[in-house]
Amino acid sequence: MFQGFYNLASNMIVQNRNMNVISNNMANISTPGYKSDQLVQGTFRDEILYRYENGNRTQIGETSRINTAEEKATNYAQGGLEQTGRKLDVGLNGNGFFAVQNGNETVYTRNGSFNVDNEGYLVVQGIGRVLGENGPIRVNTDDIYVSQQGYVLSSDGSEIYGQLRVVDFQDYNQLEKTTGGAFRTNAQPQAAQGTLVQQGYLESSNVSMVKEMTNMMSGQRALQSSAQLLKMYDQLSGKAIELGTL
């Protein structure tokens, strides 16, 4: 009797979570280097196929038929490089991430919108200090030159401040998104291969506004439909109870 309630309520919960993911993507459409997320949903059909392929033929009455939010998948495709002309803006052309010191840990980001803090260190706003091969990079000026190999120098080339630590990972599934669209992981990073550092450019987010708007409208329709059906189901259940008491 109550299976319909479970099915409809579970779908509403999943669609609410899906709307949160979509809203977060849209809110970060202007965040440099941001990677979009997508909610991966599980259905009754998926579970049946999984159990069949694994030789576990559970009785239908004992198998869950609710819709579930299984995981949140990140799209790591590179966004477009947009020229800004700003010396502290740096984009990565190729795979990899900037290493940034965030408190007591190292996090990784594609956001190359750097600034200089009050102690003269390169920072990514809201995340932390930009790391070089020998620790945080201290420049004491915003008049710098950054080579394609990631070396940070004074504008006249007379002083080398350090080399940006640009790293990559074999398995992106081990990355966990954290503050500001950065990632943390316990996996061992390796030097990015063939990646060029482009001064005066920023990588745009890979969020597609058209796709997110389409997904939002689809999610809203699914949410509204489930809510309406749940209301009808509740009314019918009430009628059945009334008839049963006559």
Side-chain angles (χ1 to χ4, degrees):
M1 176 179 176
F2 296 105
Q3 185 63 52
F5 283 110
Y6 296 143
N7 294 347
L8 293 168
S10 68
N11 190 56
M12 291 177 67
I13 292 171
V14 170
Q15 292 305 327
N16 268 317
R17 292 177 179 174
N18 187 39
M19 297 298 286
N20 289 337
V21 172
I22 293 171
S23 297
N24 190 56
N25 285 340
M26 296 175 69
N28 284 282
I29 195 169
S30 298
T31 302
Y34 181 82
K35 302 306 174 191
S36 62
D37 294 316
Q38 181 177 359
L39 190 71
V40 179
Q41 302 180 32
T43 64
F44 174 55
R45 177 177 176 273
D46 295 333
E47 184 172 351
I48 289 295
L49 289 174
Y50 172 79
R51 291 177 181 270
Y52 180 81
E53 290 172 354
N54 286 276
N56 184 2
R57 293 169 176 77
T58 305
Q59 295 296 323
I60 294 297
E62 300 177 8
T63 302
S64 172
R65 283 177 277 175
I66 66 174
N67 194 21
T68 60
E70 296 192 341
E71 62 177 331
K72 188 167 62 175
T74 300
N75 175 14
Y76 291 97
Q78 180 174 329
L81 287 178
E82 299 180 356
Q83 187 172 11
T84 66
R86 181 172 176 265
K87 290 186 177 181
L88 292 177
D89 285 343
V90 181
L92 294 178
N93 191 358
N95 296 330
F97 303 84
F98 297 110
V100 179
Q101 186 180 67
N102 179 258
N104 295 323
E105 66 175 343
T106 300
V107 297
Y108 306 92
T109 181
R110 298 278 299 190
N111 185 350
S113 180
F114 299 160
N115 286 291
V116 180
D117 68 12
N118 55 9
E119 294 183 26
Y121 288 95
L122 281 181
V123 296
V124 179
Q125 198 69 34
I127 301 180
R129 288 177 174 174
V130 180
L131 291 173
E133 296 299 334
N134 298 310
I137 297 178
R138 191 172 190 175
V139 295
N140 294 316
T141 178
D142 59 2
D143 188 16
I144 61 173
Y145 169 73
V146 183
S147 73
Q148 290 189 329
Q149 291 71 41
Y151 287 100
V152 182
L153 305 88
S154 57
S155 59
D156 59 6
S158 61
E159 187 173 357
I160 300 177
Y161 302 117
Q163 183 181 16
L164 294 171
R165 188 180 172 200
V166 181
V167 301
D168 201 8
F169 299 91
Q170 289 186 343
D171 184 7
Y172 285 1
N173 290 325
Q174 298 183 51
L175 300 179
E176 175 190 354
K177 188 174 286 188
T178 182
T179 305
F183 299 89
R184 63 160 58 98
T185 181
N186 291 323
Q188 187 65 30
Q190 58 192 26
Q193 300 297 318
T195 301
L196 297 179
V197 179
Q198 305 275 156
Q199 185 180 23
Y201 288 80
L202 278 180
E203 179 184 354
S204 60
S205 73
N206 63 2
V207 176
S208 168
M209 181 59 78
V210 173
K211 178 182 177 182
E212 298 303 329
M213 288 295 294
T214 301
N215 290 341
M216 177 171 282
M217 289 187 289
S218 176
Q220 285 176 333
R221 284 196 296 268
L223 185 60
Q224 290 169 356
S225 297
S226 293
Q228 291 171 353
L229 286 171
L230 190 61
K231 184 177 180 180
M232 292 171 59
Y233 198 96
D234 183 52
Q235 291 173 344
L236 289 172
S237 297
K239 292 290 185 183
I241 293 171
E242 287 178 10
L243 292 173
T245 59
L246 294 178

PDB file of all heavy atoms in Angstrom, residues 158-179:
ATOM      1  N   SER A 158      65.214  39.970 -13.882  1.00  0.00           N
ATOM      2  CA  SER A 158      66.410  40.005 -13.036  1.00  0.00           C
ATOM      3  C   SER A 158      66.293  39.110 -11.801  1.00  0.00           C
ATOM      4  O   SER A 158      67.299  38.767 -11.183  1.00  0.00           O
ATOM      5  CB  SER A 158      66.692  41.446 -12.583  1.00  0.00           C
ATOM      6  OG  SER A 158      65.603  41.949 -11.813  1.00  0.00           O
ATOM      7  N   GLU A 159      65.068  38.718 -11.430  1.00  0.00           N
ATOM      8  CA  GLU A 159      64.882  37.911 -10.224  1.00  0.00           C
ATOM      9  C   GLU A 159      63.887  36.788 -10.480  1.00  0.00           C
ATOM     10  O   GLU A 159      62.834  37.000 -11.072  1.00  0.00           O
ATOM     11  CB  GLU A 159      64.384  38.790  -9.071  1.00  0.00           C
ATOM     12  CG  GLU A 159      64.322  38.071  -7.735  1.00  0.00           C
ATOM     13  CD  GLU A 159      63.980  39.013  -6.593  1.00  0.00           C
ATOM     14  OE1 GLU A 159      63.839  40.235  -6.841  1.00  0.00           O
ATOM     15  OE2 GLU A 159      63.835  38.512  -5.463  1.00  0.00           O
ATOM     16  N   ILE A 160      64.245  35.586 -10.049  1.00  0.00           N
ATOM     17  CA  ILE A 160      63.370  34.422 -10.180  1.00  0.00           C
ATOM     18  C   ILE A 160      62.732  34.141  -8.814  1.00  0.00           C
ATOM     19  O   ILE A 160      63.431  33.894  -7.833  1.00  0.00           O
ATOM     20  CB  ILE A 160      64.141  33.186 -10.670  1.00  0.00           C
ATOM     21  CG1 ILE A 160      64.762  33.457 -12.045  1.00  0.00           C
ATOM     22  CG2 ILE A 160      63.201  31.973 -10.748  1.00  0.00           C
ATOM     23  CD1 ILE A 160      65.606  32.310 -12.568  1.00  0.00           C
ATOM     24  N   TYR A 161      61.415  34.194  -8.763  1.00  0.00           N
ATOM     25  CA  TYR A 161      60.718  33.985  -7.499  1.00  0.00           C
ATOM     26  C   TYR A 161      60.406  32.510  -7.237  1.00  0.00           C
ATOM     27  O   TYR A 161      60.205  32.111  -6.091  1.00  0.00           O
ATOM     28  CB  TYR A 161      59.408  34.783  -7.479  1.00  0.00           C
ATOM     29  CG  TYR A 161      59.605  36.267  -7.687  1.00  0.00           C
ATOM     30  CD1 TYR A 161      59.073  36.908  -8.798  1.00  0.00           C
ATOM     31  CD2 TYR A 161      60.318  37.030  -6.760  1.00  0.00           C
ATOM     32  CE1 TYR A 161      59.231  38.278  -8.986  1.00  0.00           C
ATOM     33  CE2 TYR A 161      60.488  38.391  -6.943  1.00  0.00           C
ATOM     34  CZ  TYR A 161      59.947  39.010  -8.063  1.00  0.00           C
ATOM     35  OH  TYR A 161      60.114  40.367  -8.257  1.00  0.00           O
ATOM     36  N   GLY A 162      60.351  31.724  -8.277  1.00  0.00           N
ATOM     37  CA  GLY A 162      60.044  30.307  -8.123  1.00  0.00           C
ATOM     38  C   GLY A 162      59.366  29.765  -9.364  1.00  0.00           C
ATOM     39  O   GLY A 162      59.145  30.486 -10.342  1.00  0.00           O
ATOM     40  N   GLN A 163      59.042  28.478  -9.328  1.00  0.00           N
ATOM     41  CA  GLN A 163      58.335  27.832 -10.429  1.00  0.00           C
ATOM     42  C   GLN A 163      57.019  27.267  -9.918  1.00  0.00           C
ATOM     43  O   GLN A 163      56.983  26.560  -8.904  1.00  0.00           O
ATOM     44  CB  GLN A 163      59.168  26.699 -11.034  1.00  0.00           C
ATOM     45  CG  GLN A 163      58.503  26.043 -12.246  1.00  0.00           C
ATOM     46  CD  GLN A 163      59.340  24.906 -12.820  1.00  0.00           C
ATOM     47  OE1 GLN A 163      60.267  24.413 -12.158  1.00  0.00           O
ATOM     48  NE2 GLN A 163      59.018  24.482 -14.028  1.00  0.00           N
ATOM     49  N   LEU A 164      55.943  27.619 -10.578  1.00  0.00           N
ATOM     50  CA  LEU A 164      54.628  27.134 -10.183  1.00  0.00           C
ATOM     51  C   LEU A 164      54.609  25.609 -10.140  1.00  0.00           C
ATOM     52  O   LEU A 164      55.124  24.948 -11.047  1.00  0.00           O
ATOM     53  CB  LEU A 164      53.557  27.633 -11.157  1.00  0.00           C
ATOM     54  CG  LEU A 164      53.295  29.139 -11.184  1.00  0.00           C
ATOM     55  CD1 LEU A 164      52.375  29.487 -12.350  1.00  0.00           C
ATOM     56  CD2 LEU A 164      52.695  29.615  -9.872  1.00  0.00           C
ATOM     57  N   ARG A 165      54.005  25.076  -9.097  1.00  0.00           N
ATOM     58  CA  ARG A 165      53.887  23.632  -8.974  1.00  0.00           C
ATOM     59  C   ARG A 165      52.610  23.196  -9.685  1.00  0.00           C
ATOM     60  O   ARG A 165      51.507  23.337  -9.157  1.00  0.00           O
ATOM     61  CB  ARG A 165      53.860  23.219  -7.506  1.00  0.00           C
ATOM     62  CG  ARG A 165      53.921  21.721  -7.283  1.00  0.00           C
ATOM     63  CD  ARG A 165      53.885  21.396  -5.796  1.00  0.00           C
ATOM     64  NE  ARG A 165      53.762  19.975  -5.576  1.00  0.00           N
ATOM     65  CZ  ARG A 165      53.342  19.421  -4.461  1.00  0.00           C
ATOM     66  NH1 ARG A 165      53.001  20.189  -3.436  1.00  0.00           N
ATOM     67  NH2 ARG A 165      53.256  18.114  -4.333  1.00  0.00           N
ATOM     68  N   VAL A 166      52.759  22.678 -10.891  1.00  0.00           N
ATOM     69  CA  VAL A 166      51.626  22.223 -11.698  1.00  0.00           C
ATOM     70  C   VAL A 166      51.660  20.699 -11.715  1.00  0.00           C
ATOM     71  O   VAL A 166      52.619  20.100 -12.197  1.00  0.00           O
ATOM     72  CB  VAL A 166      51.685  22.787 -13.132  1.00  0.00           C
ATOM     73  CG1 VAL A 166      50.478  22.314 -13.938  1.00  0.00           C
ATOM     74  CG2 VAL A 166      51.723  24.311 -13.100  1.00  0.00           C
ATOM     75  N   VAL A 167      50.617  20.086 -11.176  1.00  0.00           N
ATOM     76  CA  VAL A 167      50.613  18.628 -11.014  1.00  0.00           C
ATOM     77  C   VAL A 167      49.379  18.009 -11.668  1.00  0.00           C
ATOM     78  O   VAL A 167      48.425  18.697 -12.027  1.00  0.00           O
ATOM     79  CB  VAL A 167      50.645  18.240  -9.514  1.00  0.00           C
ATOM     80  CG1 VAL A 167      51.881  18.810  -8.837  1.00  0.00           C
ATOM     81  CG2 VAL A 167      49.382  18.734  -8.799  1.00  0.00           C
ATOM     82  N   ASP A 168      49.437  16.698 -11.809  1.00  0.00           N
ATOM     83  CA  ASP A 168      48.314  15.957 -12.377  1.00  0.00           C
ATOM     84  C   ASP A 168      48.159  14.645 -11.602  1.00  0.00           C
ATOM     85  O   ASP A 168      49.014  14.293 -10.787  1.00  0.00           O
ATOM     86  CB  ASP A 168      48.563  15.682 -13.860  1.00  0.00           C
ATOM     87  CG  ASP A 168      47.282  15.383 -14.626  1.00  0.00           C
ATOM     88  OD1 ASP A 168      46.191  15.534 -14.048  1.00  0.00           O
ATOM     89  OD2 ASP A 168      47.367  14.983 -15.805  1.00  0.00           O
ATOM     90  N   PHE A 169      47.057  13.942 -11.868  1.00  0.00           N
ATOM     91  CA  PHE A 169      46.770  12.686 -11.177  1.00  0.00           C
ATOM     92  C   PHE A 169      46.355  11.631 -12.188  1.00  0.00           C
ATOM     93  O   PHE A 169      45.724  11.934 -13.199  1.00  0.00           O
ATOM     94  CB  PHE A 169      45.645  12.879 -10.151  1.00  0.00           C
ATOM     95  CG  PHE A 169      45.978  13.886  -9.078  1.00  0.00           C
ATOM     96  CD1 PHE A 169      45.655  15.228  -9.252  1.00  0.00           C
ATOM     97  CD2 PHE A 169      46.627  13.506  -7.928  1.00  0.00           C
ATOM     98  CE1 PHE A 169      45.961  16.165  -8.283  1.00  0.00           C
ATOM     99  CE2 PHE A 169      46.941  14.436  -6.945  1.00  0.00           C
ATOM    100  CZ  PHE A 169      46.619  15.766  -7.125  1.00  0.00           C
ATOM    101  N   GLN A 170      46.708  10.384 -11.893  1.00  0.00           N
ATOM    102  CA  GLN A 170      46.341   9.293 -12.787  1.00  0.00           C
ATOM    103  C   GLN A 170      44.853   9.003 -12.737  1.00  0.00           C
ATOM    104  O   GLN A 170      44.242   8.665 -13.752  1.00  0.00           O
ATOM    105  CB  GLN A 170      47.131   8.020 -12.418  1.00  0.00           C
ATOM    106  CG  GLN A 170      48.613   8.090 -12.768  1.00  0.00           C
ATOM    107  CD  GLN A 170      49.320   6.771 -12.532  1.00  0.00           C
ATOM    108  OE1 GLN A 170      48.818   5.891 -11.837  1.00  0.00           O
ATOM    109  NE2 GLN A 170      50.500   6.616 -13.118  1.00  0.00           N
ATOM    110  N   ASP A 171      44.260   9.130 -11.558  1.00  0.00           N
ATOM    111  CA  ASP A 171      42.849   8.792 -11.386  1.00  0.00           C
ATOM    112  C   ASP A 171      42.108   9.973 -10.763  1.00  0.00           C
ATOM    113  O   ASP A 171      42.224  10.230  -9.566  1.00  0.00           O
ATOM    114  CB  ASP A 171      42.717   7.549 -10.508  1.00  0.00           C
ATOM    115  CG  ASP A 171      41.274   7.084 -10.360  1.00  0.00           C
ATOM    116  OD1 ASP A 171      40.388   7.645 -11.050  1.00  0.00           O
ATOM    117  OD2 ASP A 171      41.026   6.152  -9.568  1.00  0.00           O
ATOM    118  N   TYR A 172      41.325  10.678 -11.569  1.00  0.00           N
ATOM    119  CA  TYR A 172      40.579  11.831 -11.070  1.00  0.00           C
ATOM    120  C   TYR A 172      39.439  11.431 -10.145  1.00  0.00           C
ATOM    121  O   TYR A 172      38.879  12.281  -9.438  1.00  0.00           O
ATOM    122  CB  TYR A 172      40.018  12.639 -12.239  1.00  0.00           C
ATOM    123  CG  TYR A 172      41.055  13.472 -12.973  1.00  0.00           C
ATOM    124  CD1 TYR A 172      42.389  13.445 -12.600  1.00  0.00           C
ATOM    125  CD2 TYR A 172      40.697  14.285 -14.035  1.00  0.00           C
ATOM    126  CE1 TYR A 172      43.339  14.204 -13.274  1.00  0.00           C
ATOM    127  CE2 TYR A 172      41.635  15.046 -14.715  1.00  0.00           C
ATOM    128  CZ  TYR A 172      42.955  15.001 -14.326  1.00  0.00           C
ATOM    129  OH  TYR A 172      43.895  15.754 -14.990  1.00  0.00           O
ATOM    130  N   ASN A 173      39.075  10.152 -10.122  1.00  0.00           N
ATOM    131  CA  ASN A 173      38.010   9.698  -9.236  1.00  0.00           C
ATOM    132  C   ASN A 173      38.402   9.812  -7.767  1.00  0.00           C
ATOM    133  O   ASN A 173      37.543   9.742  -6.887  1.00  0.00           O
ATOM    134  CB  ASN A 173      37.627   8.248  -9.551  1.00  0.00           C
ATOM    135  CG  ASN A 173      36.913   8.109 -10.884  1.00  0.00           C
ATOM    136  OD1 ASN A 173      36.152   8.981 -11.284  1.00  0.00           O
ATOM    137  ND2 ASN A 173      37.174   7.022 -11.584  1.00  0.00           N
ATOM    138  N   GLN A 174      39.693   9.964  -7.507  1.00  0.00           N
ATOM    139  CA  GLN A 174      40.160  10.092  -6.129  1.00  0.00           C
ATOM    140  C   GLN A 174      40.124  11.537  -5.636  1.00  0.00           C
ATOM    141  O   GLN A 174      40.435  11.812  -4.483  1.00  0.00           O
ATOM    142  CB  GLN A 174      41.588   9.546  -6.012  1.00  0.00           C
ATOM    143  CG  GLN A 174      41.708   8.065  -6.343  1.00  0.00           C
ATOM    144  CD  GLN A 174      43.123   7.552  -6.138  1.00  0.00           C
ATOM    145  OE1 GLN A 174      43.724   7.760  -5.091  1.00  0.00           O
ATOM    146  NE2 GLN A 174      43.660   6.895  -7.157  1.00  0.00           N
ATOM    147  N   LEU A 175      39.741  12.470  -6.520  1.00  0.00           N
ATOM    148  CA  LEU A 175      39.666  13.875  -6.145  1.00  0.00           C
ATOM    149  C   LEU A 175      38.319  14.185  -5.494  1.00  0.00           C
ATOM    150  O   LEU A 175      37.276  13.718  -5.939  1.00  0.00           O
ATOM    151  CB  LEU A 175      39.868  14.767  -7.367  1.00  0.00           C
ATOM    152  CG  LEU A 175      41.199  14.615  -8.119  1.00  0.00           C
ATOM    153  CD1 LEU A 175      41.232  15.549  -9.313  1.00  0.00           C
ATOM    154  CD2 LEU A 175      42.380  14.876  -7.207  1.00  0.00           C
ATOM    155  N   GLU A 176      38.361  14.989  -4.467  1.00  0.00           N
ATOM    156  CA  GLU A 176      37.145  15.406  -3.762  1.00  0.00           C
ATOM    157  C   GLU A 176      37.040  16.928  -3.808  1.00  0.00           C
ATOM    158  O   GLU A 176      37.954  17.635  -3.386  1.00  0.00           O
ATOM    159  CB  GLU A 176      37.202  14.940  -2.301  1.00  0.00           C
ATOM    160  CG  GLU A 176      36.033  15.424  -1.455  1.00  0.00           C
ATOM    161  CD  GLU A 176      36.253  15.161   0.027  1.00  0.00           C
ATOM    162  OE1 GLU A 176      37.254  14.506   0.395  1.00  0.00           O
ATOM    163  OE2 GLU A 176      35.419  15.647   0.832  1.00  0.00           O
ATOM    164  N   LYS A 177      35.929  17.419  -4.333  1.00  0.00           N
ATOM    165  CA  LYS A 177      35.766  18.868  -4.471  1.00  0.00           C
ATOM    166  C   LYS A 177      35.575  19.516  -3.112  1.00  0.00           C
ATOM    167  O   LYS A 177      34.866  18.999  -2.247  1.00  0.00           O
ATOM    168  CB  LYS A 177      34.590  19.188  -5.396  1.00  0.00           C
ATOM    169  CG  LYS A 177      34.473  20.668  -5.741  1.00  0.00           C
ATOM    170  CD  LYS A 177      33.387  20.930  -6.777  1.00  0.00           C
ATOM    171  CE  LYS A 177      33.814  20.500  -8.164  1.00  0.00           C
ATOM    172  NZ  LYS A 177      32.825  20.923  -9.194  1.00  0.00           N
ATOM    173  N   THR A 178      36.224  20.669  -2.927  1.00  0.00           N
ATOM    174  CA  THR A 178      36.147  21.370  -1.653  1.00  0.00           C
ATOM    175  C   THR A 178      35.915  22.860  -1.912  1.00  0.00           C
ATOM    176  O   THR A 178      35.417  23.245  -2.971  1.00  0.00           O
ATOM    177  CB  THR A 178      37.426  21.127  -0.821  1.00  0.00           C
ATOM    178  OG1 THR A 178      37.302  21.777   0.441  1.00  0.00           O
ATOM    179  CG2 THR A 178      38.675  21.620  -1.541  1.00  0.00           C
ATOM    180  N   THR A 179      36.316  23.719  -0.981  1.00  0.00           N
ATOM    181  CA  THR A 179      36.043  25.154  -1.050  1.00  0.00           C
ATOM    182  C   THR A 179      36.530  25.786  -2.348  1.00  0.00           C
ATOM    183  O   THR A 179      37.647  25.532  -2.798  1.00  0.00           O
ATOM    184  CB  THR A 179      36.722  25.868   0.133  1.00  0.00           C
ATOM    185  OG1 THR A 179      36.286  25.253   1.345  1.00  0.00           O
ATOM    186  CG2 THR A 179      36.348  27.338   0.164  1.00  0.00           C
TER     187      THR A 179
END
